[in-house]
Amino acid sequence: NGDSASSPKKPFVPTQADYQKVYDAVAARLANDTDYDDGSYGPVLVRLAWHASGTYDKETGTGGSNGATMRFAPESDHGANAGLKTARDFLEPIKAQFPWITYSDLWTLAGACAIQELGGPTIPWRPGREDRDVAACTPDGRLPDAAKDQRHIRDIFSRMGFDDREMVALIGAHALGRCHTDRSGFDGPWNFSPTVFTNEFFRLLAEENWIQKKWNGPKQFTDKSTGTLMMLPTDMALMKDKGFKKHVERYAKDSDVFFKEFSDVFVKLLELGVRFKTEDRFVFKTSE
Ligand code: HIF
């Protein structure tokens, strides 16, 4: 029969082991390329995965992590996406090494990898996203504006299908990374260890004294004790709103609860707008 003759032409169907190889390649690049920002590309990879997913609109089913349409203008030029070319370029050698993975799977896998490699919870992940062309780019204005308040947070994140608790849990990811004046206009990190995933964002938000920063830039807040940390107006809004504040206090007190609830909601974020063929998710092994 023709089985053996035709088998070399069979399409390559990647297994969990193949995706683990992609994970390992991203993790190795993170470990080797430490000459960037605070020593890691991890935070900007998390931001790429989130901005690729957070365009989802549950009413129309448009946007979300399917598509990877941020490869194209106009979406790549949306103000909210400033600086994310750095993250996309970082992943190009990985895409070249594993050409079978879609960009949309790669960007979300890299976000999950970064959370795990920076000491966060495991982020179970599944493949199945398809890349789309420029026609699928979402309109500008779907991602949040940091200058706004709790009403805006609820508007934007309920459009994606999240409730209050999930919104607060997600925003704990601002433990990672920093703001850049040449990207968003804001400046500085949220805590003292911006390359380690912790519940510090909540502890500092709840316990520090935050005052408005005196400068020529957009309105942001700084900690009274050192003047080196920052909070965005949207971060501060979590303390002004009763429905949000109770979760801030819960997460500030209990890192385990935050890790568990963050993992659940980040998995949900990375899957917005995707029709998967499989229920099963992979749990990637974190590097040593
Ligand atoms: Fe961010 N976010 N984010 N964000 N974000 C920035 C940076 C990061 C918002 C605004 C900003 C989430 C929600 C919101 C990360 C991850 C997540 C910056 C600075 C701004 C202005 C960009 C720059 O100048 O480089 C707003 C208004 C949000 C809704 C309230 C998510 C929950 C926290 C969904 C999320 O996961 C990460 C990581 C960074 C750091 C990027 C870096 O380059 O270090």
Side-chain angles (χ1 to χ4, degrees):
N1 64 47
D3 270 7
S4 58
S6 63
S7 60
K9 283 186 205 139
K10 268 194 200 148
F12 173 60
V13 181
T15 63
Q16 176 164 359
D18 294 303
Y19 288 104
Q20 179 73 53
K21 283 184 196 148
V22 179
Y23 178 103
D24 293 346
V26 175
R29 226 170 129 62
L30 281 178
N32 294 331
D33 274 9
T34 55
D35 196 13
Y36 169 75
D37 257 8
D38 301 292
S40 175
Y41 280 89
V44 80
L45 291 184
V46 172
R47 185 166 165 248
L48 174 66
W50 128 242
H51 281 210
S53 308
T55 54
Y56 184 61
D57 173 18
K58 69 177 186 209
E59 296 300 322
T60 58
T62 55
S65 69
N66 245 346
T69 46
M70 205 203 296
R71 286 168 297 153
F72 311 116
E75 200 173 327
S76 54
D77 296 332
H78 289 169
N81 290 332
L84 289 177
K85 187 176 186 300
T86 309
R88 297 193 299 273
D89 289 350
F90 177 88
L91 293 173
E92 276 305 320
I94 314 277
K95 172 71 176 162
Q97 195 184 343
F98 305 97
W100 47 266
I101 195 169
T102 60
Y103 278 100
S104 40
D105 273 344
L106 176 60
W107 291 357
T108 51
L109 189 161
C113 172
I115 300 275
Q116 291 190 195
E117 293 298 311
L118 299 178
T122 51
I123 307 293
W125 178 93
R126 52 182 162 162
R129 295 164 196 77
E130 286 164 7
D131 292 342
R132 300 202 172 126
D133 68 17
V134 60
C137 280
T138 45
D140 201 358
R142 289 205 178 175
L143 292 165
D145 176 349
K148 297 209 165 138
D149 64 6
Q150 53 269 40
R151 280 213 319 269
H152 177 70
I153 298 178
R154 280 204 181 86
D155 282 350
I156 294 279
F157 285 92
S158 59
R159 190 208 64 227
M160 295 175 225
F162 294 114
D163 64 22
D164 279 11
R165 185 184 60 85
E166 292 175 312
M167 295 178 203
V168 179
L170 266 181
I171 295 172
H174 277 167
L176 296 178
R178 60 169 54 246
C179 296
H180 306 76
T181 50
D182 58 341
R183 296 181 182 177
S184 60
F186 298 99
D187 188 33
W190 286 268
N191 76 81
F192 297 108
S193 53
T195 62
V196 188
F197 191 96
T198 62
N199 68 337
E200 273 295 281
F201 170 85
F202 296 114
R203 200 191 57 76
L204 290 162
L205 184 59
E207 292 176 13
E208 271 302 324
N209 207 337
W210 296 93
I211 54 175
Q212 201 173 320
K213 181 180 165 94
K214 290 196 184 64
W215 73 325
N216 284 329
K219 179 175 165 184
Q220 67 174 64
F221 296 83
T222 192
D223 67 307
K224 210 174 169 191
S225 19
T226 72
T228 56
L229 304 179
M230 73 95 56
M231 288 285 167
L232 298 165
T234 43
D235 300 319
M236 295 301 292
L238 299 182
M239 288 303 279
K240 286 192 281 180
D241 184 281
K242 266 200 186 149
F244 285 152
K245 189 177 175 205
K246 63 178 186 208
H247 298 295
V248 171
E249 287 169 344
R250 245 172 9 96
Y251 298 143
K253 264 196 277 212
D254 194 331
S255 161
D256 292 346
V257 167
F258 168 55
F259 271 42
K260 169 75 183 73
E261 295 185 13
F262 176 82
S263 172
D264 290 345
V265 68
F266 203 72
V267 167
K268 182 169 164 184
L269 175 69
L270 299 189
E271 298 190 348
L272 292 177
V274 190
R275 245 188 241 139
F276 290 97
K277 291 192 188 78
T278 161
E279 288 285 300
D280 298 333
R281 298 190 179 92
F282 305 147
V283 172
F284 293 119
K285 219 172 142 285
T286 303
S287 66
E288 303 289 277

